[in-house]
Amino acid sequence: MKKTLIIFAHPHFEYSHANAELVKAYDNLDNVDFKDLYEEYPDFHIASFRERKRIREYERLVFHFPLIWFTCPPLLKLWIDEVFDIKWMAEQNHPLQNKDAFIIVTLGGKEENYSPDGLYTTTVPELMKFLILSLKVNGIQVKEILAIHNADELTEVDLAKYTTEIRKTLRTP
Amino acid sequence: MSENSLAMTALIFLGAAIIMVPLVRKLGLSSVIGFILGGIIIGPFGLKLTGKDSDDIMHATEFGVIMLLFLVGLEFEPKKFWKIRKKIIGMGLSQMLITIIVLFGIFYFAKWQTDQALVTAICFALSSTAIVLQTLKEKNIFLTDAGEASFSILLFQDMSVIPILALLPVLAKRPEDNEHEILLQYLPDWLQPFSIIIGVLILIILGRYVFVPFLRYVSRSGMNELLTASSLFLVIGVSELMASVGLSPALGAFLAGVMLATSEFRHELESQIEPFKGLLLAVFFVSVGATINFFVILKDPMFIFTTTVIVLIVKFAVLFGVGKFFKLKLNQNLIVAFALSQIGEFSFVLVNYSTKLYLLNPELNAQLMAITAITMCVTPVLLIINEKLIEPHFITDTHDSETIQPIKERKIIIVGFGHFGSTVGRLLRVNGIQATVLDNDAERVNLLKSNHFKVYFGDATKPGILRSAGAETADLLILCLDDPEKNKFILEYARKNYPQLKIFVRAKNRLDAYDFYNNGVDNIYRETLGTAVDMAVDILKATGMRSYAARRLGKRFMVIDKAMVKKLAKEQLKDKITFTVKESLEREAELLAEDSQSFDESQWTDNEEI
């Protein structure tokens, strides 16, 4: 399994039954480190030196977050703003080159709403453009987007299926 | 030893305890065995060190039992007391009655005289409060079902001593030569049977309207010695009062404890009485050992031996049956039955009293005393047999989940509830987190209590108070005292004695923080950091810096400053200081200037935390 860092951001994790179940997918996996941004930086003061130093060590980044008003939670956005830096890329000779990434996003809405003819007329991959592009400029390829719809209505069985799927995805080389 | 003074005797008793207890503890036995063995060794059949005073000593040390019950009462809020009332009456009454009937039957068929058989059966139905409670607390099973059942039965037995004392003269069919004046006799005849109720009522009124105001008055004087004195005064006073009303002093002390369990002085009283209780109980157990009369035993060993065995078996069987009837789990039931199978210390009192009434002859008196003492010595051994040989057979999956696990609540202790501590406490309270609060300002405690804060009066720099506030089972200790030296003192003590506690401490400045870091505490809150940084951030804004930039700078300053203090604290421990305050300030300035805009990775190495 590739050395993986899970970057998890959820401002109201304590109210999300679905995510509480889903993050169990990361338990007891070799080479997988879990990082809960809202737990680590409750005051939104990100230690960017440390973060840059840390992400260099990984071959794969997983961004796991709920979709809130069609984008990622603010702390994850801040993390991206503070950590990724064009000057850093130039001075350190592209330290993030050749890594890959997954996006796991939970949504309250139904799947049919996120289609060109649906309520929001926009697909999830389109909404994720900001993240995909930011990563691409830094040399990181997004390999897969897993969108989990109706997150609040999912049964234990559904969630278990997703958990298995996440674990399987993490094992892909 | 011609001049055998009381002090000398006490010295010998204590010496025996001090030498024997560590020995038996090494063998993994209960301290009670050590005390009793010590007593046998110094007694008339060992080193003959105890003089004629051993009876006086025994009498004096009965205060140990009284204090034990007072302390149990303190931990026992009236609500809880009310909750187990059915158990007390049900288990207690059935155990007493059945034991008396069975023992009386056996003695009767063994051709004892009827009245002797009955008196003996009554005396032997009682169990030893002192031994059982001490053992349960030592084994940390006081809060389990077994503990509750044992306690209910013992409490009922203590209550039943009163009617028994009234009944014995009736059995004797001769007027008793009353030793001490009993106030009860001044009551009209029809009221006398209600003595218990009257005594309890007196105590409730005293507890509510006399004890607490009295303690408040004393605590305002700010002298700790006075509190020790008044705690002792209370306990001894109550037991004397009860004795003069004709009630059991131990029961009186227990009720006084219950009355004070909800007052703010609970922990303070506990820590004051605790050392006296330990000391007196120790001497009490030693005197049990010293009163075993081996001449009597050697004269008719068969009689003593068989009676002892029969009594133990009967008591065990009855207790076991009662426990089963009240649906105790098997392993809990075994603990109760083994623990309470001995004869209690009140038996000494009752047997002597019956002899005075000519119900028992002196020879039988000596024999019964010996039997009582032997059963007491056997209890710890029985419990070990239960633990080592019988219990292991019952270890199932349920064993660890619902057996010997005392109910544990997540507990927070806050020390100091002034402007600082109360802010912490208020924020916790909003989230429904109850903390045990200790403060040694009587006025403030009073004020907080009237605002429905659960605050206790007590000086936390005294070791006992932390324990009685529950430091052994607590998770968090929060030190908010104004005086850093006091905080440090409590911190060191707590780190040594309660290593499981996570400690949060208030510090004035960097120098305190160094000390606290070097004491192995990581959660340090400097008064002069946060507020000063807030101020500086606002000043930066006032000079025209953008708010967000000022806030980020303030945050970074905090983080760097904390890291530096931690580093400097370590430097202080070295002989040669390689990293000075001056250097650290320069480094700090550099780091702040960078504002995370530097991408020179060699710079990041020692700034992991920024």
Side-chain angles (χ1 to χ4, degrees):
Chain A
M1 196 177 293
K2 281 190 171 175
K3 196 162 162 45
T4 306
L5 176 66
I6 316 290
I7 299 158
F8 174 79
H10 197 313
H12 303 296
F13 188 32
E14 63 277 26
Y15 298 117
S16 171
H17 173 70
N19 277 295
E21 287 300 313
L22 291 171
V23 297
K24 288 180 185 165
Y26 310 124
D27 286 347
N28 314 323
L29 285 176
D30 287 342
N31 272 339
V32 172
D33 293 329
F34 181 80
K35 182 176 171 56
D36 179 345
L37 285 186
Y38 275 89
E39 194 59 32
E40 197 167 356
Y41 299 119
D43 58 0
F44 277 51
H45 190 76
I46 288 166
S48 31
F49 285 152
R50 188 176 56 189
E51 292 297 333
R52 285 176 203 145
K53 222 171 132 170
R54 175 149 64 173
I55 54 173
R56 298 193 63 155
E57 309 299 315
Y58 294 93
E59 300 164 278
R60 173 178 291 161
L61 304 177
V62 175
F63 293 88
H64 181 157
F65 55 90
L67 193 79
I68 300 170
W69 288 116
F70 310 107
T71 186
C72 72
L75 184 57
L76 178 57
K77 177 69 177 104
L78 185 67
W79 184 90
I80 294 162
D81 296 358
E82 296 271 320
V83 177
F84 294 162
D85 195 290
I86 291 292
K87 271 197 238 159
W88 178 39
M89 293 297 125
E91 282 181 31
Q92 293 291 330
N93 194 15
H94 301 284
L96 304 179
Q97 211 66 23
N98 302 328
K99 297 186 191 305
D100 59 34
F102 293 144
I103 296 172
I104 298 168
V105 57
T106 56
L107 307 91
K110 297 193 200 78
E111 192 162 0
E112 60 263 30
N113 294 342
Y114 293 90
S115 67
D117 333 322
L119 183 62
Y120 307 131
T121 64
T122 317
T123 63
V124 175
E126 281 168 348
L127 288 171
M128 290 298 118
K129 262 284 189 289
F130 76 98
L131 183 53
I132 297 167
L133 275 174
S134 311
L135 292 169
K136 194 175 163 185
V137 171
N138 283 282
I140 304 170
Q141 274 316 81
V142 173
K143 286 270 159 86
E144 192 173 329
I145 298 174
L146 174 61
I148 298 170
H149 290 276
N150 286 334
D152 296 328
E153 273 96 58
L154 295 177
T155 62
E156 304 289 326
V157 181
D158 301 331
L159 288 166
K161 269 192 210 130
Y162 280 120
T163 311
T164 321
E165 193 175 338
I166 292 172
R167 285 176 84 102
K168 207 178 79 200
T169 316
L170 289 175
R171 285 201 188 87
T172 54
Chain B
M1 291 275 294
S2 53
E3 282 295 293
N4 203 332
S5 67
L6 189 67
M8 194 67 205
T9 317
L11 194 69
I12 291 161
F13 274 61
L14 290 173
I18 293 164
I19 293 164
M20 287 308 297
V21 173
L23 277 178
V24 294
R25 293 294 289 177
K26 259 216 164 57
L27 298 170
L29 308 177
S30 132
S31 63
V32 176
I33 296 189
F35 292 131
I36 295 176
L37 278 177
I40 294 174
I41 291 167
I42 58 168
F45 308 92
L47 302 174
K48 294 193 180 48
L49 290 175
T50 49
K52 297 222 170 351
D53 290 335
S54 56
D55 274 356
D56 299 347
I57 295 244
M58 186 111 175
H59 198 70
T61 53
E62 275 160 17
F63 275 122
V65 182
I66 287 166
M67 285 176 185
L68 178 75
L69 274 156
F70 178 73
L71 288 173
V72 170
L74 272 183
E75 289 174 22
F76 216 83
E77 290 173 16
K79 263 187 268 172
K80 210 160 127 195
F81 187 45
W82 194 242
K83 230 170 40 198
I84 66 162
R85 68 188 187 282
K86 287 190 182 122
K87 265 195 180 148
I88 296 172
I89 306 285
M91 290 182 118
L93 186 66
S94 47
Q95 180 269 338
M96 283 291 286
L97 281 180
I98 301 169
T99 311
I100 291 172
I101 291 164
V102 174
L103 283 176
F104 174 72
I106 293 171
F107 296 146
Y108 186 79
F109 283 110
K111 305 266 187 300
W112 289 32
Q113 289 172 28
T114 315
D115 55 353
Q116 282 190 356
L118 185 59
V119 170
T120 311
I122 291 171
C123 293
F124 282 6
L126 301 165
S127 309
S128 168
T129 307
I131 290 182
V132 178
L133 289 190
Q134 178 82 359
T135 317
L136 291 180
K137 288 215 171 216
E138 236 172 54
K139 292 191 189 300
N140 201 12
I141 48 179
F142 188 67
L143 295 171
T144 58
D145 290 348
E148 195 174 72
S150 306
F151 182 75
S152 308
I153 294 170
L154 289 168
L155 200 62
F156 183 86
Q157 289 179 352
D158 277 332
M159 289 195 246
S160 65
V161 170
I162 306 140
I164 292 172
L165 280 171
L167 180 80
L168 287 175
V170 179
L171 278 179
K173 295 188 201 68
R174 61 180 78 223
E176 56 172 316
D177 30 354
N178 220 339
E179 285 172 78
H180 50 229
E181 281 285 281
I182 287 189
L183 295 175
L184 262 183
Q185 291 169 328
Y186 298 116
L187 288 173
D189 287 348
W190 59 271
L191 260 179
Q192 289 194 11
F194 300 106
S195 61
I196 293 193
I197 297 164
I198 293 166
V200 171
L201 279 176
I202 291 174
L203 268 181
I204 290 173
I205 293 162
L206 279 179
R208 192 137 299 181
Y209 301 107
V210 180
F211 295 165
V212 175
F214 164 72
L215 285 169
R216 274 186 196 147
Y217 166 75
V218 173
S219 65
R220 264 188 212 117
S221 72
M223 280 179 65
N224 278 321
E225 301 79 0
L226 276 183
L227 268 171
T228 313
S230 42
S231 311
L232 283 174
F233 179 84
L234 258 184
V235 179
I236 297 172
V238 166
S239 60
E240 285 298 308
L241 182 76
M242 287 292 118
S244 65
V245 181
L247 296 180
S248 134
L251 181 70
F254 168 76
L255 287 171
V258 173
M259 289 318 307
L260 289 165
T262 49
S263 83
E264 70 259 39
F265 294 100
R266 175 178 152 188
H267 296 304
E268 178 70 23
L269 286 170
E270 229 172 289
S271 69
Q272 300 279 11
I273 298 286
E274 187 76 38
F276 292 99
K277 176 214 80 172
L279 191 72
L280 290 167
L281 266 188
V283 181
F284 171 79
F285 291 130
V286 173
S287 54
V288 168
T291 45
I292 297 180
N293 189 329
F294 284 90
F295 288 134
V296 173
I297 297 174
L298 291 174
K299 230 156 93 194
D300 193 354
M302 266 325 281
F303 170 77
I304 300 273
F305 179 74
T306 47
T307 316
T308 306
V309 172
I310 287 169
V311 169
L312 283 172
I313 290 172
V314 168
K315 291 194 75 165
F316 178 89
V318 173
L319 284 160
F320 194 80
V322 168
K324 226 178 169 50
F325 182 79
F326 280 85
K327 299 195 176 54
L328 271 184
K329 284 201 181 58
L330 186 56
N331 59 350
Q332 303 274 306
N333 199 357
L334 280 170
I335 293 174
V336 175
F338 275 118
L340 274 80
S341 59
Q342 82 293 87
I343 305 167
E345 55 274 358
F346 273 116
S347 163
F348 292 126
V349 179
L350 293 178
V351 168
N352 280 333
Y353 184 58
S354 313
T355 315
K356 278 201 194 87
L357 295 169
Y358 305 105
L359 276 167
L360 304 172
N361 55 30
E363 193 196 0
L364 189 60
N365 170 333
Q367 286 172 327
L368 297 185
M369 291 290 227
I371 291 167
T372 303
I374 293 170
T375 59
M376 284 185 176
C377 302
V378 172
T379 301
V381 180
L382 287 178
L383 281 169
I384 290 163
I385 291 172
N386 179 38
E387 225 170 279
K388 297 270 185 293
L389 302 176
I390 302 174
E391 270 209 345
H393 294 297
F394 297 117
I395 293 186
T396 55
D397 294 343
T398 57
H399 184 82
D400 46 10
S401 58
E402 49 188 353
T403 51
I404 315 289
Q405 288 304 316
I407 308 118
K408 189 174 178 280
E409 46 186 29
R410 185 175 176 73
K411 272 181 34 186
I412 301 177
I413 302 172
I414 301 180
V415 176
F417 217 59
H419 295 296
F420 194 103
S422 62
T423 309
V424 176
R426 272 172 22 225
L427 184 48
L428 294 178
R429 188 173 139 173
V430 170
N431 289 291
I433 295 169
Q434 274 286 358
T436 304
V437 180
L438 294 170
D439 197 292
N440 62 352
D441 177 338
E443 296 286 342
R444 188 186 298 145
V445 171
N446 217 344
L447 184 74
L448 289 165
K449 263 193 89 82
S450 58
N451 292 329
H452 305 289
F453 263 100
K454 207 172 153 190
V455 187
Y456 295 100
F457 176 85
D459 178 359
T461 51
K462 288 210 303 281
I465 202 99
L466 271 189
R467 190 181 54 232
S468 48
E472 276 164 349
T473 54
D475 303 319
L476 307 177
L477 175 65
I478 298 159
L479 302 173
C480 304
L481 293 172
D482 195 51
D483 180 354
E485 284 307 309
K486 279 187 180 168
N487 279 335
K488 192 177 159 193
F489 179 85
I490 300 169
L491 166 89
E492 284 173 0
Y493 176 81
R495 291 252 319 150
K496 205 166 74 204
N497 294 286
Y498 311 109
Q500 93 290 354
L501 278 175
K502 193 167 183 196
I503 301 175
F504 292 71
V505 59
R506 163 189 178 185
K508 287 264 185 236
N509 51 40
R510 279 184 158 215
L511 301 174
D512 302 334
Y514 295 154
D515 275 353
F516 295 147
Y517 271 126
N518 292 333
N519 265 309
V521 178
D522 284 334
N523 295 300
I524 299 165
Y525 302 87
R526 264 182 285 159
E527 289 170 45
T528 44
L529 180 62
T531 320
V533 168
D534 281 351
M535 187 177 181
V537 166
D538 286 347
I539 294 167
L540 286 173
K541 287 185 205 168
T543 59
M545 190 186 267
R546 276 186 55 77
S547 300
Y548 184 62
R551 188 196 71 99
R552 281 211 325 262
L553 203 57
K555 275 280 173 205
R556 282 180 54 70
F557 180 88
M558 285 270 257
V559 171
I560 293 168
D561 188 87
K562 282 181 183 168
M564 288 294 168
V565 168
K566 210 167 178 166
K567 202 166 165 179
L568 284 166
K570 288 199 190 88
E571 288 289 331
Q572 287 209 317
L573 293 179
K574 292 182 192 162
D575 302 341
K576 222 174 101 220
I577 294 181
T578 53
F579 182 75
T580 61
V581 175
K582 182 167 168 288
E583 273 175 40
S584 90
L585 289 175
E586 284 166 7
R587 189 92 188 84
E588 202 167 67
E590 270 172 42
L591 284 168
L592 275 169
E594 280 171 358
D595 190 17
S596 74
Q597 295 303 304
S598 153
F599 302 104
D600 175 1
E601 289 191 14
S602 62
Q603 284 287 329
W604 304 346
T605 43
D606 58 350
N607 302 318
E608 271 295 300
E609 54 284 295
I610 303 159

